[in-house]
Amino acid sequence: MDLSFKDIKFIIESFDNLMVKYQERINQIEDLDEYEDEVSDLGNDIMFLSSLRKKIDDSLKDISF
């Protein structure tokens, strides 16, 4: 799949926005025991998105447009 510079920037921005939403949800429920699993899942998802975002961002630097 060929992605343009704009496509990649859009994906990175989407990841950033999703991580913010996940963190907002964690902040809402982190002190409630019944949401312990959701908090853990969201935290893991944030770490995964952050890692993926870095890989995409690094690959973007390697691409010459």
Side-chain angles (χ1 to χ4, degrees), residues 7-64:
D7 295 337
I8 295 170
K9 293 303 281 183
F10 183 84
I11 291 168
I12 290 171
E13 185 178 335
S14 297
F15 284 176
D16 289 343
N17 288 327
L18 187 55
M19 288 188 288
V20 167
K21 291 294 182 188
Y22 284 0
Q23 188 59 55
E24 287 172 353
R25 177 67 178 155
I26 288 172
N27 293 343
Q28 291 174 344
I29 64 173
E30 66 185 333
D31 294 329
L32 305 173
D33 289 338
E34 63 267 22
Y35 294 105
E36 182 178 318
D37 289 340
E38 183 178 353
V39 169
S40 177
D41 289 343
L42 290 170
N44 290 337
D45 289 348
I46 288 171
M47 288 189 301
F48 175 75
L49 284 169
S50 179
S51 173
L52 190 55
R53 184 207 184 282
K54 182 177 179 348
K55 288 178 186 177
I56 292 171
D57 195 36
D58 289 347
S59 70
L60 185 63
K61 292 174 186 173
D62 294 337
I63 298 172
S64 57

